[in-house]
Structure formats: C-alpha cells, structure tokens
C-alpha cells in the first residue's frame, strides 16, 4: 500500500512541506497539507493531513495527523487516524490510532491504543489471582518449614 495507497486519493488544498535529506529542523509545524521528511526533525507536527517519513527520515517528537506513513524512524507520541509502518520503518513510543498497518519488517515498540476501542483487558484480574495462589499463606508456611 504505502505512499501510493489510500492516503493519496484525497485532494489537499495546501502544498507539501518537505524536509530534505541533510536538513535538520528543531521546532514545530502546523499545516493542513502534507509533510514529507527525508532529513531530521525534532519537535511537534500538528493538524497535518499526511505525514510521510522517508527511509532516511528521522523524527523525534509529537505527531498529530490524519495519516502517517513511516519508512524511516519515528520516536515519540503519535495521534493519527491511520498509521502505516512500511518495511524497514521503525516506530518507538506511544500511539493512538484508528487503523494500524505494520508491513513485514516494519517495527513498532511501545504502547498502542486504538481510538474508541471497546476491548478491555482482564489480565490484571488474572494476574492478581495468580499472585494470590503463589503467595498464599499455605505456600508461605511450607516455605518457612523448609528454611
């Protein structure tokens, strides 16, 4: 899917902001258009329709956009409707999304939360039961007798 997928079907009235390879920008960008990063960006990008991070691109910061496509590296907080991590793309951090696509050899490390999800984990409940079994008084008595 990638860059030529669903993200390019919409018409963007605003132009594209491009951060070329070899360029480093520290700061913030607010645009209703698209942002393509082949260089390095540290900061905040808000309200963008599409953010694409090329293979040589590196972003460290907060991202809020409609669509995000990552071929390079993104380290930070992400709030996007659709996130695509392409082969060799790396995302580290906390992510809120509606749709998440991780292609083969794409990597995500962090915490992801689907917006509006009704799913609830019961892991804490089960973990407490397990801990009560392991740390039960009968177990403690046997352990103390063996000492």
């Amino acid at each position: 899917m990638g860059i030529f997928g669903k993200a390019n079907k919409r018409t963007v009235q605003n132009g594209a902001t491009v951060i070329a390879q070899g360029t480093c920008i520290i700061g913030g960008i607010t645009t209703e258009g698209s942002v393509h990063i082949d260089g390095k960006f540290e900061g905040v990008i808000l309200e963008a329709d599409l953010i694409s991070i090329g293979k040589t691109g590196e972003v460290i910061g907060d991202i809020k956009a409609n669509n995000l496509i990552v071929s390079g590296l993104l380290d930070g907080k992400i709030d996007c409707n659709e996130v695509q991590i392409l082969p060799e793309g790396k995302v580290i951090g906390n992510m809120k999304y509606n749709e998440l696509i991780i292609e083969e050899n794409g990597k995500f490390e962090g915490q992801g939360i689907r917006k509006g999800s009704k799913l609830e984990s019961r892991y804490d409940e089960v973990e407490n039961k397990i801990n009560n079994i392991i740390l039960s008084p009968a177990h403690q008595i046997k352990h103390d007798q063996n000492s």
Side-chain angles (χ1 to χ4, degrees), residues 121-133:
S121 174
R122 292 185 48 221
Y123 175 77
D124 289 339
E125 175 187 324
V126 173
E127 183 182 40
N128 286 335
K129 288 178 184 177
I130 293 168
N131 286 337
N132 287 336
I133 293 168

Side-chain angles (χ1 to χ4, degrees), residues 16-21 23 25 34-38:
T17 301
V18 177
I19 300 172
Q21 186 173 358
T23 302
I25 294 179
S34 62
V35 179
H36 180 78
I37 302 164
D38 284 324

Side-chain angles (χ1 to χ4, degrees), residues 75-136:
D75 183 354
K77 293 181 183 176
I78 300 129
D79 185 348
C80 296
N81 289 324
E82 183 177 309
V83 177
Q84 296 178 56
I85 304 173
L86 301 181
E88 309 307 320
K90 297 172 197 72
V91 175
I92 304 166
N94 295 329
M95 181 169 27
K96 293 180 184 176
Y97 59 88
N98 283 328
E99 185 176 347
L100 174 62
I101 300 165
I102 303 175
E103 294 190 10
E104 187 174 359
N105 293 322
K107 295 177 178 48
F108 170 57
E109 292 191 24
Q111 181 180 18
I113 298 172
R114 187 168 178 267
K115 295 178 185 182
S117 176
K118 304 290 186 218
L119 298 174
E120 291 186 30
S121 174
R122 292 185 48 221
Y123 175 77
D124 289 339
E125 175 187 324
V126 173
E127 183 182 40
N128 286 335
K129 288 178 184 177
I130 293 168
N131 286 337
N132 287 336
I133 293 168
I134 293 172
L135 301 175
S136 69

Side-chain angles (χ1 to χ4, degrees), residues 41-92:
F41 179 83
E42 296 177 359
V44 178
I45 303 175
L46 298 175
E47 307 305 323
D49 181 52
L50 169 65
I51 299 172
S52 60
I53 302 170
K55 289 182 181 183
T56 60
E58 180 179 317
V59 175
I60 301 173
D62 291 353
I63 299 291
K64 185 172 184 177
N66 191 32
N67 291 286
L68 172 65
I69 301 170
V70 181
S71 294
L73 171 69
L74 172 55
D75 183 354
K77 293 181 183 176
I78 300 129
D79 185 348
C80 296
N81 289 324
E82 183 177 309
V83 177
Q84 296 178 56
I85 304 173
L86 301 181
E88 309 307 320
K90 297 172 197 72
V91 175
I92 304 166

